[in-house]
Amino acid sequence: MRYKKLAELYEEISSTTKRLEKTKILSKFLKEVNESDKEVLYLLLGDIYPEYNEKKIGISNQLAIKSISKATGTDAKEIVNEWKSIGDLGKVSEKLTKHKKQSTLRTHILTTEKVLENLRKLPELEGKGTVGKKISLITELLTSASPIEALYLVRTIIGDLRIGVKESTVRESMASAFFEGDKEASKKIQDAINKSNDIAEVFSAVKKRKLKDLEKISLETGKPIKVMLAQKVKTIKEGFKALGKPCAIEYKYDGFRLLIHKKDKDILLFTRSLENVTKQFPEVVEYVKNYVKGKSFILDSEAVGFNRETKEYQPFQNVSQRIRRKYDIEKLQKELPIEINVFDIIYYNGKSQLDEPFKKRTALIKKIIRNHPYKIIHAKQIITGDEKKAEEFYKKALKDNQEGVMMKKLDAIYQPGSRVNTWIKLKPEERDLDLVIVGAEFGKGKRSGWFSSFILSCSDGDKFLEIGKMGTGIKEKSAEEVGGTSFAELTKMIKPFITKEHGKRVEVKPKIVVAVTYQEIQKSPNYNSGFALRFPRFTALRPDKKASQVSRLKEIKKDFEKQKRNWRYG
Ligand code: ATP
């Protein structure tokens, strides 16, 4: 397909903020896309591969500037100045392409295949001369690009497409294009996306207009899937009301979600944001090899840190650094040991277990895993309809340093990627949120050179909305010296994501998710969420979460209301 066609679609979709309009435009486009062009759907979501594939374009603004400079014959300094005034590197590239001299006029027609071919070479490059090769690959595309193509090419390579199309928009558009917007079809499309995490594969099935083909899309070991999520209640009573009696009650461990795949001899570990973390946890691979029976399987579990001497469970923030750290793994493994608590099985010996009842899945776990405390165990579970027994179990979980309990319906199927009403979470009233950093400010005095305060945003589903500024809870000394996260570390993480600078303040791409506690939520005109957190305090990085998974404004409004009620009644 000509890249121009896609660029024009981006342009049309960007011209409206209305979701329904976007769906209409996209559905018309999808009808015209041939099966052989299905990979344009990756580009549509700003990607080059399906979501489960970890290879990302990963080009910095600096490298993009160098490429634009080479392609348009413009001095890099001039590009930076333009960027400062326009605030969008894509637009800068569009403008400069328009003004390009006659002699450098385009010679080739750009196709989506060529764009994918070049962009897919980028993450493969390693070693000497990488930067130069990357610039050449991008420049080759930019020199063939028309102004509007240059605009979207640059936005794609820096990972900031800005057309307001999410996976859900594509799902709705596919349902509307091929099944007249049928609700059942839309749900089946979403199921297929959740199982495969491959929008192009789903498109192929959808294009045939047969629901049967969609249903055939299933799990594969070795390919990460989205996890099932729970709804919240405030009391055991409410939990029973939602699920019926009896139900299963499990410890809600304070760790991080780990999906364990066994495919032939290979064991692979993924986080809930589909990141492959196998290298970071070599001991887990050994536990699975030694203590879990089966040729192939996918297990759902929570990894929890514990103290090697006292054997006490540790809070999540203590072990969170193990998720991202790619060096000193052996050392970290000794200092921050983890225990795997398996609570579900999604696939076993060539067969999906998604549609089996929860009770049966749990029985299978017990059959194939031998408990080895502080290595790998079945999640602690009781099955009861007795409220007193449930309360006791809840108290025990809290005493054991865990977050609370999960209540689960005995006949529930496993629905990847869905927040279901068959899984319920219960934890004591607490005030904490997961938020994403969208801005930062350089510090003064001994904090100069670091960012020392951070603008945080929640989400309303479509947009990120600011809700406060945080500066406490972060360490001045390095993490090695005192534990926790330091200003230097956070500054280093933020720098590649800067999109705009205004003196000491910078705007940042929403990438880094942090857990934050606070004392109170107040109404506030200072932030576009309409709320501000009083005394927000950093507690941990959440490298296991994507920006799309931060706390929703809806929940924050609820917490605000609840807080008011509590004051009223003392
Ligand atoms: P959510 O995961 O619902 O988006 P969150 O990240 O804030 O929200 P919690 O509210 O703490 O997480 O609760 C859900 C998480 O609890 C699960 O994603 C999982 O990581 C963890 N968990 C711990 N123990 C269990 C268990 N026994 N069964 C299922 N999940 C568990």
Side-chain angles (χ1 to χ4, degrees):
M1 179 190 294
R2 284 186 66 168
Y3 189 65
K4 185 161 169 265
K5 190 165 173 193
L6 192 61
E8 282 167 357
L9 171 82
Y10 291 149
E11 196 76 354
E12 204 185 341
I13 290 184
S14 310
S15 69
T16 173
T17 52
K18 293 200 186 84
R19 205 188 144 100
L20 221 71
E21 281 290 311
K22 285 187 194 282
T23 311
K24 217 163 130 187
I25 298 165
L26 189 52
S27 113
K28 183 167 165 268
F29 173 83
L30 290 176
K31 277 188 193 161
E32 292 162 12
V33 175
N34 293 325
E35 151 82 27
S36 55
D37 280 327
K38 63 179 183 210
E39 295 198 329
V40 301
L41 272 89
Y42 303 143
L43 289 170
L44 203 55
L45 290 172
D47 232 327
I48 46 173
Y49 286 113
E51 198 185 352
Y52 70 79
N53 190 318
E54 278 190 289
K55 285 184 188 145
K56 304 284 171 221
I57 304 172
I59 293 294
S60 67
N61 292 331
Q62 290 318 316
L63 221 126
I65 290 170
K66 283 187 188 143
S67 312
I68 300 170
S69 162
K70 208 166 155 203
T72 59
T74 318
D75 193 55
K77 268 197 200 125
E78 196 187 324
I79 299 179
V80 172
N81 285 338
E82 287 277 358
W83 182 28
K84 278 193 178 147
S85 79
I86 304 177
D88 174 350
L89 258 186
K91 288 259 179 222
V92 175
S93 172
E94 180 184 31
K95 184 172 165 189
L96 295 175
T97 308
K98 263 185 206 153
H99 297 161
K100 216 160 36 173
K101 294 202 184 75
Q102 206 60 26
S103 62
T104 56
L105 268 184
R106 292 175 289 137
T107 45
H108 300 289
I109 288 174
L110 207 53
T111 62
T112 52
E113 291 83 357
K114 178 69 187 165
V115 170
L116 278 171
E117 183 190 320
N118 278 27
L119 297 188
R120 282 176 175 171
K121 283 180 189 157
L122 297 171
E124 305 295 339
L125 293 170
E126 270 173 27
K128 247 184 158 184
T130 300
V131 171
K133 282 181 204 151
K134 285 187 177 174
I135 293 176
S136 304
L137 285 164
I138 302 169
T139 310
E140 189 192 358
L141 298 176
L142 285 176
T143 42
S144 310
S146 64
I148 164 177
E149 289 173 324
L151 161 64
Y152 290 104
L153 261 177
V154 168
R155 283 193 186 169
T156 301
I157 60 167
I158 60 170
D160 193 13
L161 198 50
R162 301 191 196 184
I163 57 166
V165 167
K166 295 186 300 182
E167 187 188 272
S168 56
T169 331
V170 181
R171 177 199 65 215
E172 287 309 321
S173 307
M174 287 202 269
S176 146
F178 305 106
F179 297 98
E180 279 84 44
D182 179 59
K183 284 241 157 59
E184 168 79 12
S186 174
K187 196 182 160 295
K188 290 233 154 89
I189 295 172
Q190 188 62 53
D191 281 351
I193 296 175
N194 289 340
K195 284 179 198 166
S196 67
N197 284 305
D198 187 341
I199 198 92
E201 185 187 349
V202 174
F203 174 75
S204 287
V206 163
K207 185 115 185 121
K208 294 181 195 141
R209 297 175 198 256
K210 281 195 198 128
L211 285 180
K212 276 252 153 3
D213 284 316
L214 262 180
E215 285 162 12
K216 274 188 214 145
I217 294 181
S218 189
L219 308 172
E220 267 177 52
T221 47
K223 226 168 97 176
I225 51 159
K226 291 193 185 119
V227 297
M228 179 150 114
L229 298 169
Q231 293 186 3
K232 218 180 187 166
V233 291
K234 292 192 206 84
T235 60
I236 291 273
K237 215 185 185 75
E238 258 184 77
F240 274 126
K241 202 170 152 204
L243 301 181
K245 289 178 181 176
C247 67
I249 309 180
E250 293 175 352
Y251 268 27
K252 182 178 185 314
Y253 294 95
D254 184 14
F256 56 93
R257 196 100 177 232
L258 202 62
L259 277 289
I260 303 169
H261 291 236
K262 181 172 183 196
K263 184 184 181 180
D264 309 320
K265 289 213 167 63
D266 291 335
I267 287 156
L268 296 157
L269 310 174
F270 296 98
T271 64
R272 58 182 278 178
S273 41
L274 315 183
E275 198 181 343
N276 185 334
V277 289
T278 314
K279 282 209 178 77
Q280 287 89 309
F281 301 99
E283 80 270 41
V284 177
V285 172
E286 285 307 308
Y287 302 159
V288 176
K289 261 190 200 152
N290 297 334
Y291 309 131
V292 189
K293 279 191 280 185
K295 280 198 188 75
S296 64
F297 48 76
I298 305 175
L299 305 175
D300 196 353
S301 77
E302 185 86 352
V304 195
F306 63 92
N307 181 308
R308 200 173 277 288
E309 269 90 53
T310 63
K311 295 285 193 279
E312 260 178 24
Y313 284 123
Q314 302 285 302
F316 167 71
Q317 51 265 42
N318 292 21
V319 286
S320 69
Q321 46 172 317
R322 285 208 60 186
I323 303 174
R324 280 284 157 82
R325 187 83 84 78
K326 303 231 164 83
Y327 54 94
D328 280 347
I329 287 176
E330 243 176 81
K331 184 169 163 256
L332 233 56
Q333 199 180 314
K334 288 208 183 93
E335 285 168 11
L336 304 170
I338 53 168
E339 175 183 65
I340 305 299
N341 295 270
V342 181
F343 53 76
D344 222 317
I345 180 156
I346 306 171
Y347 187 91
Y348 185 66
N349 281 359
K351 206 170 154 259
S352 163
Q353 300 293 315
L354 291 175
D355 295 323
E356 297 293 344
F358 176 65
K359 206 173 157 188
K360 223 171 144 192
R361 298 201 304 273
T362 325
L364 181 56
I365 293 177
K366 295 212 170 114
K367 211 172 110 191
I368 65 167
I369 303 177
R370 257 194 298 144
N371 262 351
H372 280 76
Y374 305 105
K375 291 183 175 167
I376 186 166
I377 60 168
H378 320 137
K380 282 203 181 66
Q381 188 200 68
I382 55 167
I383 293 179
T384 186
D386 183 334
E387 281 175 27
K388 243 177 147 182
K389 279 198 181 131
E391 289 287 354
E392 270 163 28
F393 189 72
Y394 180 30
K395 278 199 194 118
K396 196 165 150 245
L398 295 176
K399 228 174 114 194
D400 232 354
N401 282 349
Q402 301 307 339
E403 275 196 313
V405 287
M406 300 287 297
M407 298 175 78
K408 298 178 178 178
K409 207 174 167 72
L410 293 173
D411 58 2
I413 58 166
Y414 193 105
Q415 293 166 271
S418 309
R419 191 172 294 282
V420 293
N421 56 11
T422 52
W423 269 22
I424 301 277
K425 55 187 180 189
L426 171 63
K427 48 184 175 178
E429 240 10 283
E430 55 168 285
R431 295 174 173 182
D432 76 349
L433 297 170
D434 291 330
L435 300 168
V436 63
I437 296 176
V438 296
E441 204 171 309
F442 275 109
K444 293 190 202 115
K446 58 179 177 173
R447 292 186 181 174
S448 63
W450 298 329
F451 289 122
S452 68
S453 72
F454 307 87
I455 305 287
L456 305 172
S457 278
C458 58
S459 126
D460 74 349
D462 288 325
K463 292 184 297 300
F464 293 106
L465 299 169
E466 293 177 3
I467 186 157
K469 203 175 186 181
M470 168 193 78
T472 50
I474 304 148
K475 306 282 162 57
E476 281 184 349
K477 295 208 169 134
S478 74
E480 269 79 24
E481 282 173 79
V482 290
T485 303
S486 66
F487 284 110
E489 202 180 321
L490 213 47
T491 303
K492 198 169 152 211
M493 288 175 72
I494 286 177
K495 278 195 170 159
F497 299 128
I498 295 174
T499 53
K500 256 191 201 172
E501 294 182 33
H502 318 268
K504 273 182 154 342
R505 276 188 307 117
V506 297
E507 290 176 30
V508 179
K509 256 191 233 170
K511 293 279 183 196
I512 300 163
V513 178
V514 292
V516 175
T517 60
Y518 61 93
Q519 286 196 351
E520 199 184 292
I521 305 173
Q522 300 175 314
K523 283 224 157 159
S524 165
N526 296 336
Y527 298 108
N528 58 359
S529 64
F531 293 97
L533 300 180
R534 219 163 112 86
F535 303 127
R537 186 182 177 82
F538 173 90
T539 58
L541 289 168
R542 294 288 317 240
D544 57 324
K545 273 203 164 181
K546 283 190 190 169
S548 57
Q549 295 164 334
V550 295
S551 302
R552 297 288 166 113
L553 184 60
K554 250 194 343 220
E555 301 163 32
I556 293 168
K557 273 189 187 148
K558 257 201 215 153
D559 286 350
F560 174 72
E561 291 302 326
K562 202 162 60 198
Q563 181 184 292
K564 274 203 316 204
R565 266 203 315 275
N566 290 345
W567 289 334
R568 218 177 295 143
Y569 299 114

